[in-house]
């Protein structure tokens, strides 16, 4: 009887243990009992090397969940789809962004969530769709992109330097230096000549100044002579005006006499035309004086 009772107790214990294990598995499957979790999708366009399933998900450094799965996006193989399990009380909003960070010592990756707008609405699940948290490039990705761009620019610069320092350009630069040296020598010679010319100009200036003073004195003399000539010319002009006035009066008198003569000749011509015989054979008789009979 005791062995049967012991077997019954053992069997009851096994049943209870199995039920407990099943309940614990159900508890794990139901997202941890009291703490409810929500799934979110994150699409990464960069490499997720260093990130593994069950990696931590942090919100400003605080653990709020884990990475449930990682896979290539079936619609776009260039993207990686991350399925995140995050506690329901985590303030995930439409302004929240996900990025990959790495631990400094181990080099393992984790997901860091950050939000820069407290007033943004809560990111909710639409019917039949899993909410998507937008992603941003990680520091390593930005650094790699910057280094790649810098390497491309350095490569272009080196290519330009190589073209600039080609054999033809070096020969041309050498010829330019030689021509520059010859030009410097020529300029030095021209400078010496210019210095001599300046010295001569100074000497000429010293000679020109007295000559200019002499010319100035001569100009003053000419000016006084011009004043004298002006006075003399004024007196001479007055005499000439008087003589001209007298000549004009004589000329006017002469013109009057000529006018009388022309009239007489015109009258004689008219008489000759009307009676030429009378003009030729007529005797002239004196006109009777006052009181005389003709």
């Amino acid at each position: 009887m005791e062995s049967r009772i012991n077997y019954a107790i053992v069997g009851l214990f096994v049943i209870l243990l199995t039920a407990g294990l099943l309940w614990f598995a159900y508890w794990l499957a139901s997202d941890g009992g009291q703490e409810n979790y929500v799934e979110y999708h994150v699409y990464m366009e960069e490499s997720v090397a260093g990130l593994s399933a069950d990696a931590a998900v942090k919100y400003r450094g605080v653990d709020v969940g884990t990475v449930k799965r990682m896979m290539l996006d079936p619609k776009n193989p260039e993207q990686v789809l991350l399925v995140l399990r995050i506690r329901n009380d985590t303030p995930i909003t439409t302004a929240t962004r996900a990025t990959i960070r790495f631990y400094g010592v181990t080099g393992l990756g984790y997901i860091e969530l950050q939000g820069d707008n407290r007033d943004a609405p809560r990111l909710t699940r639409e019917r039949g769709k899993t909410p998507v948290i937008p992603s941003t490039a990680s520091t390593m990705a930005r650094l790699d992109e910057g280094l790649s761009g810098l390497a491309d620019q350095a490569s272009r610069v080196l290519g330009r330097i190589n073209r600039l320092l080609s054999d033809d350009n070096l020969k041309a630069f050498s010829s330019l230096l030689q021509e520059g040296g010859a030009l410097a020598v020529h300029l030095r010679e021209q400078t010496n000549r210019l210095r001599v010319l300046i010295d001569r100009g100074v000497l000429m200036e010293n000679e020109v100044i007295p000559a200019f003073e002499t010319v100035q004195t001569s100009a003053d003399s000419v000016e006084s002579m011009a004043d004298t000539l002006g006075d003399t010319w004024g007196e001479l002009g007055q005499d000439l005006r008087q003589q001209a006035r007298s000549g004009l009066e004589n000329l006017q008198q002469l013109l009057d006499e000529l006018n009388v003569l022309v009239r007489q000749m015109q009258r004689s011509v008219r008489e000759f035309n009307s009676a030429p015989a009378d003009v030729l054979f007529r005797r002239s008789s004196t006109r009777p004086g006052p009181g005389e009979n003709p």
Side-chain angles (χ1 to χ4, degrees):
M1 292 295 293
E2 293 180 0
S3 61
R4 292 181 180 178
I5 294 175
N6 292 333
Y7 286 135
I9 294 173
V10 171
L12 181 60
F13 176 77
V14 171
I15 292 172
L16 293 175
L17 179 61
T18 303
L21 291 175
L22 292 175
W23 179 83
F24 181 73
Y26 176 77
W27 180 80
L28 292 177
S30 63
D31 295 334
Q34 296 180 357
E35 291 184 349
N36 293 325
Y37 285 82
V38 180
E39 286 189 358
Y40 293 91
H41 286 178
V42 176
Y43 294 94
M44 290 288 181
E45 296 183 356
E46 60 180 288
S47 174
V48 295
L51 188 68
S52 60
D54 296 331
V57 177
K58 297 178 180 292
Y59 189 91
R60 296 189 177 276
V62 179
D63 290 335
V64 294
T66 58
V67 178
K68 185 176 181 180
R69 290 193 306 275
M70 294 191 308
M71 66 185 74
L72 294 177
D73 184 10
K75 298 180 181 179
N76 185 6
E78 297 297 328
Q79 293 181 341
V80 178
L81 172 61
L82 303 180
V83 181
L84 307 183
R85 295 176 63 250
I86 301 175
R87 288 202 302 265
N88 191 26
D89 58 350
T90 304
I92 305 297
T93 64
T94 55
T96 303
R97 299 291 183 269
T99 184
I100 300 176
R101 298 288 179 85
F102 296 91
Y103 294 104
V105 179
T106 61
L108 297 177
Y110 64 94
I111 300 298
E112 177 72 20
L113 301 178
Q114 292 182 350
D116 55 359
N117 189 355
R118 296 180 181 179
D119 298 331
R122 191 72 180 266
L123 184 61
T124 58
R125 175 193 295 270
E126 296 181 2
R127 181 176 298 179
K129 294 183 180 180
T130 302
V132 177
I133 300 176
S135 64
T136 58
S138 63
T139 303
M140 295 299 296
R142 291 195 298 268
L143 181 61
D144 180 69
E145 183 178 359
L147 290 176
S148 298
L150 183 62
D152 293 338
Q153 292 181 2
S155 178
R156 290 194 295 269
V157 170
L158 290 176
R160 293 178 180 178
I161 292 175
N162 289 331
R163 290 194 297 270
L164 181 62
L165 298 179
S166 62
D167 294 336
D168 296 336
N169 290 336
L170 289 177
K171 291 179 181 179
F173 186 70
S174 178
S175 300
L176 182 62
L177 289 177
Q178 292 178 359
E179 293 178 357
L183 179 61
V185 174
H186 181 69
L187 288 176
R188 191 178 296 110
E189 294 177 355
Q190 295 298 327
T191 302
N192 295 330
R193 295 178 181 177
L194 182 61
R195 187 179 296 109
V196 173
L197 183 61
I198 291 173
D199 294 338
R200 292 180 179 177
V202 172
L203 295 176
M204 185 178 295
E205 181 181 3
N206 295 330
E207 294 178 357
V208 166
I209 290 175
F212 181 78
E213 293 176 353
T214 303
V215 171
Q216 185 67 30
T217 303
S218 301
D220 295 337
S221 301
V222 169
E223 184 177 359
S224 61
M225 185 182 296
D227 294 336
T228 304
L229 288 176
D231 297 337
T232 305
W233 176 256
E235 296 176 356
L236 182 60
Q238 187 175 2
D239 295 339
L240 289 176
R241 281 195 298 272
Q242 293 177 357
Q243 293 179 4
R245 188 179 297 109
S246 176
L248 288 174
E249 292 177 354
N250 295 330
L251 180 61
Q252 185 65 34
Q253 185 178 0
L254 179 62
L255 290 176
D256 292 339
E257 294 177 355
L258 287 175
N259 191 12
V260 173
L261 180 61
V262 167
R263 289 179 181 177
Q264 292 178 357
M265 290 181 66
Q266 289 177 353
R267 187 174 56 206
S268 299
V269 169
R270 284 195 298 272
E271 293 176 355
F272 178 78
N273 290 330
S274 60
D278 292 341
V279 174
L280 293 176
F281 301 104
R282 182 178 63 183
R283 294 181 180 179
S284 60
S285 58
T286 59
R287 293 181 180 181
E292 292 181 359
N293 293 321

